[in-house]
């Protein structure tokens, strides 16, 4: 998919573990893994809102468009 | 079980035809609206006599009917097996699974095969011969319904997958 999720990068910047983030935004680790690996077909606004709130960032920081992939 | 009994009778019939002298069957009738048939009556068999002596059955026709009957029986068994799998998955709440799409497709193909097998009939007795070409609309319709159901289940499976991958 040409839409990339920069979760790994942001988590590293915030020095946060993915299981901690999953717990904070109320989704399972499996679902967060789907999101991180780019297997997700859609992201709910509520999930995006929770991610932005916890990571203190904008949706544009999380999502990236790349034609190459 | 039915296959074993039929095969046993089929084999015994060829070794000892005389035991079946008293066995009689009705003249075969086709109720399909799409059909073409030719009938020949030979000898002293009056037109009004609808019964045919089993011992008069000619070997080519006997083999043809036996093989056709067994093939249709096996296909029916396969259809029931596939349908059973669908019911089992529904009970497990895995209704829109890819396996059900494949099961309905298989049912569709099996129904098409049954239609193909029942298209041609060849009945040859010593004093009566009937060849007919008929298309069984009911089974053809069943096959169409199975293919439509396969497409519906495929769409359901796509929606389920999409829902599963929406985070």
């Amino acid at each position: 998919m040409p839409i990339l999720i920069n979760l790994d990068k942001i988590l590293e910047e915030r020095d946060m573990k993915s299981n901690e983030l999953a717990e904070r935004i109320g989704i399972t680790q499996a679902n967060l893994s789907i999101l991180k690996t780019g297997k997700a077909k859609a992201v709910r606004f509520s999930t995006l809102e929770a991610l932005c709130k916890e990571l203190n960032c904008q949706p544009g920081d999380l999502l990236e468009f790349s034609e190459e992939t | 079980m039915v296959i074993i009994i039929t095969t046993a009778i089929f084999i015994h019939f060829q070794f000892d035809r005389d035991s079946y002298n008293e066995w009689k069957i009705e003249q075969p009738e086709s109720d399909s609206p799409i059909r073409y048939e030719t009938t020949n009556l030979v000898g002293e068999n009056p037109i009004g006599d609808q019964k045919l002596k089993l011992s008069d059955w000619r070997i080519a026709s006997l083999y043809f009917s036996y093989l056709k009957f067994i093939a249709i029986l096996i296909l029916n068994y396969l259809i029931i097996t596939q349908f059973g799998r669908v019911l089992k998955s529904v009970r497990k709440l895995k209704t829109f699974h890819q396996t059900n799409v494949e099961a309905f497709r298989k049912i569709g193909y099996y129904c098409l095969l049954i239609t193909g097998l029942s298209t041609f009939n060849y009945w040859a007795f010593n004093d009566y011969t009937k060849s007919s070409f008929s298309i069984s609309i009911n089974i053809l319709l069943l096959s169409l319904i199975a293919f439509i159901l396969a497409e519906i289940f495929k769409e359901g499976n796509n929606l389920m997958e999409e829902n599963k991958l929406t985070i």
Side-chain angles (χ1 to χ4, degrees), chain A residues 31 40-44 47, chain B residues 158 161-167:
Chain A
N31 276 346
K41 289 201 174 180
V43 183
R44 285 192 190 92
T47 312
Chain B
N158 284 345
E161 286 287 320
E162 211 168 280
N163 191 43
K164 215 160 60 177
L165 293 173
T166 298
I167 313 296

Side-chain angles (χ1 to χ4, degrees), chain B residues 79 82-83 86 99-113 115 137-155:
Chain B
I79 288 173
Q82 292 299 329
F83 199 68
V86 174
T99 48
N100 284 351
V101 178
E102 278 152 25
F104 275 114
R105 272 203 196 126
K106 277 182 188 169
I107 290 173
Y109 286 125
Y110 295 150
C111 286
L112 270 184
L113 270 174
T115 311
I137 302 287
N138 295 343
I139 303 168
L140 205 62
L141 215 69
L142 267 180
S143 130
L144 191 72
I145 290 168
F147 282 126
I148 291 170
L149 277 174
E151 286 307 305
I152 292 169
F153 272 68
K154 189 182 162 193
E155 198 56 42

